[in-house]
Each structure stands twice: as C-alpha cells, then as structure tokens.
Amino acid sequence: MRLDLGYDGTDFHGWAGQPGLRTVQGELEAAIAVLLRVPAESVSLTVGGRTDAGVHARGQVAHVDVSESQLEKWSGRRARAGDPDAGSAEAARLRARRVNGVLKRSAADIVVHSVREVPAAFDARFSALRRRYEYRLRGEGSRRDPLTARFTADVPRELDLHRMRRASERLLGLNDFTSFCKARDGATAVRTLLDFSWRVTDDGAYAARIEADAFCHSMVRALVGGVVAVGSGRIAETELDELLHARRRTSRFTVMPAHGLSLEEIAYPPYTELAERAERTRARRAPLAPSGAGPQSAPAPQGGPDPQSDPPAAIPNL
C-alpha cells in the first residue's frame, strides 16, 4: 500500500522511529496497527524521504505491506479486497480517512492524503526518480509574518536575491557534493542537482526550490547555507565553486536550520518501470574523477544513486 502524506515536523524527532521519542514513523505505524488490530511492532513502513528532526513534509511517500485480510479491515465494507473499486480514488480516500481518524487522537500534525494499492514492485525509497524540497527564509529587514514564522528561517543579514540565484545555477548538474554532505566511510556524494531556483513568496519570504535524483545527509540545508553565504556577501560566487570542487567539509558557510525545510514531492516512474528503477537505484553510483581532471561524464549505466544515503547499507537522512 502506498501512503501519500504530509506533516508539520516541529514537534517530531524526525521520521525514523526511535525508542522513547516522538517520531512520524512511530505515530503512523501505531495508527495503522490500531486499524489492522495488530501489534505496532508488526507494522513496518518504508519511506521515500527520511526527514530529520524539525523538517516538514507536504509530499512524503511511504509504503507498507499488508495481507488481503488486513486490507479488508483497513478498507471497510465499501471497498473490500478483490472488489473492482478497491484500487479507486474513492477507496484510497476512504482508507486515508480511517487512518486520519486514529491520528487525530495522538498525532493531528500528520495528515494522510491517500492510501492506495500499488504493485509489489513499488518501493517508496528505491523506486523514486527524484525528490523536490522547498526552503523558506527571510533576510534582515524583511517583514516577519507570525503565521509563517514556524516554517521560515531568519537570516540576520541582508540578502541579495540576484546573487543567490546566480550562485544556485552554478551548482546544477552532476557533481560530487561531499562539501555539502556529512561524510560516511566508504560513501559517495555524487548526485545530479536538477533544479535550484528562488522565488519571492506572497508573504515576502525567499523560497528555494531544490530538486535532485537523490540527496545525501544534510545536503539540502548545506546547499542553501552556501548560497545564503554568497547572498549575504560572506563569500564570493567563485569561492562557492572552489568549495564545491574541494570535496571536503568547510566552515565557510553554515547548514541552515531544519524548520525552514519541507519535502514537497517524490516522483516515480510508470508501474512497468518500477522494478528496473529499484534495481538501478540500489547499485552504488561510481565516484567522479578528481576535480580538475576535465569534464565529468555520467557514471557507468550499471550504477545509480542510493536515493537518500550513500552506500545501500547506510541509514538515509535528508
């Protein structure tokens, strides 16, 4: 079953379940267990984009395996397993409404939009083609909106939006983003950054749209931090290029706060291509040639990026 959901991450210790801590995964698995009348530990969700503490989501995707009898319990009398309408949009909304009814009692800051049947080959994590985030921030002198402050980071310097846009464009394409990731032993930070653009929101904030085939740990917030450093005049655009190609962590810019970040969308291929995509994604992407060795080409076709972490065995974070 594929679950499309969103949540206000403010009061969660991230997505992943942790003993004694309130997490999105923990609350959602507990709610599903109530509906299926099974122990909570028997429900196991796989997520498309594992978010850190304080990070929000509008377009999160997860999947869970259920038996036919469990599907019938979840769907209710109006959409039983095997019925022609079991995979309909109405059935998906009904299942979402039932789990939301449970969530309202303990986790009203999670909302499930739909719960639909998908092929067994669907994997919320490994089948994904790309992920899109939004980061909201305000510079010094911007009017502060109390209704959106919970989701908007404040930067204590004036920002030049034109410089930020130019700096963002310089980061696009296939690169080794080690300078913008928390390194793990034996990991690769090779990613294809598809979009990094900015707009001014209705409430006067700056919102970055960041899209890539995959992200490694803290990459989105570090990318925004680097561009903000350019926009505030702390570093030059050329220095940001040098930092990217240095492929090592730096203190020249800071990782932005979690509360300004939201997972907006995860895109998947047609059902007929799910298995092939998952197989490619599970293969570790080959490292790029050392910086300065000439133009970079795409890695060999047998490998693809792990969608959230570097080696498949590593724990993914965003």
Side-chain angles (χ1 to χ4, degrees):
M1 303 299 292
R2 167 176 168 167
L3 292 80
D4 290 80
L5 64 144
Y7 45 85
D8 176 348
T10 305
D11 298 324
F12 289 106
H13 291 268
W15 164 270
Q18 303 175 63
L21 296 177
R22 186 172 187 260
T23 67
V24 181
Q25 182 180 16
E27 292 286 357
L28 190 52
E29 287 180 349
I32 293 171
V34 170
L35 287 177
L36 301 184
R37 302 167 201 165
V38 297
E41 56 269 20
S42 68
V43 179
S44 179
L45 287 163
T46 298
V47 74
R50 179 173 162 174
T51 51
D52 285 336
V55 176
H56 318 290
R58 285 195 185 95
Q60 182 66 278
V61 179
H63 83 259
V64 63
D65 295 326
V66 298
S67 66
E68 185 170 323
S69 61
Q70 290 173 336
L71 175 60
E72 185 170 332
K73 290 177 184 176
W74 197 338
S75 300
R77 297 174 60 186
R78 292 170 56 192
R80 294 184 183 278
D83 287 350
D85 293 335
S88 69
E90 176 57 30
R93 288 191 293 269
L94 173 62
R95 287 188 286 264
R97 189 159 59 244
R98 298 195 73 196
V99 72
N100 284 331
V102 179
L103 287 169
K104 283 181 180 179
R105 298 196 289 268
S106 61
D109 38 6
I110 303 174
V111 175
V112 177
H113 304 302
S114 71
V115 182
R116 49 185 156 139
E117 293 183 75
V118 288
F122 179 84
D123 187 296
R125 176 184 175 190
F126 288 107
S127 298
L129 291 172
R130 59 188 182 275
R131 293 161 176 81
R132 177 169 60 87
Y133 284 82
E134 180 176 276
Y135 196 93
R136 288 174 48 95
L137 57 86
R138 298 179 192 279
E140 182 72 25
S142 299
R143 183 174 180 176
R144 197 165 181 268
D145 181 357
L147 299 184
T148 59
R150 188 178 176 99
F151 314 104
T152 308
D154 291 313
V155 178
R157 297 189 181 190
E158 293 187 2
L159 298 175
D160 186 325
L161 183 58
H162 296 295
R163 293 186 66 194
M164 291 165 61
R165 283 172 169 159
R166 289 197 304 267
S168 298
E169 290 175 0
R170 299 167 81 105
L171 297 170
L172 294 175
L174 179 68
N175 286 294
D176 184 325
F177 288 98
T178 298
S179 301
F180 299 89
C181 298
K182 290 185 179 179
R184 292 188 175 94
D185 292 339
T188 175
V190 175
R191 302 290 188 268
T192 301
L193 189 60
L194 302 168
D195 188 11
F196 193 174
S197 55
W198 293 84
R199 65 183 177 89
V200 180
T201 66
D202 291 340
D203 62 318
Y206 294 159
R209 175 188 172 113
I210 308 111
E211 183 174 345
D213 56 351
F215 293 95
C216 49
H217 184 231
S218 80
M219 178 175 163
V220 179
R221 291 189 285 140
L223 285 170
V224 175
V227 169
V228 165
V230 173
S232 67
R234 179 178 179 184
I235 65 174
E237 295 174 41
T238 53
E239 184 178 354
L240 187 63
D241 293 342
E242 294 168 359
L243 293 172
L244 168 66
H245 297 303
R247 300 182 185 177
R248 59 178 180 269
R249 297 290 285 180
T250 177
S251 60
R252 292 293 291 148
F253 59 81
T254 59
V255 176
M256 297 295 289
H259 70 278
L261 183 61
S262 173
L263 173 58
E264 297 291 303
E265 179 188 24
I266 304 177
Y268 295 91
Y271 286 165
T272 55
E273 301 173 16
L274 289 172
E276 178 185 359
R277 176 61 186 176
E279 182 179 358
R280 290 189 62 225
T281 304
R282 283 188 171 94
R284 183 172 178 266
R285 175 171 276 184
L288 297 181
S291 181
Q296 303 297 322
S297 58
Q302 73 270 16
D306 183 316
Q308 303 163 73
S309 61
D310 302 289
I315 297 176
N317 284 281
L318 289 166

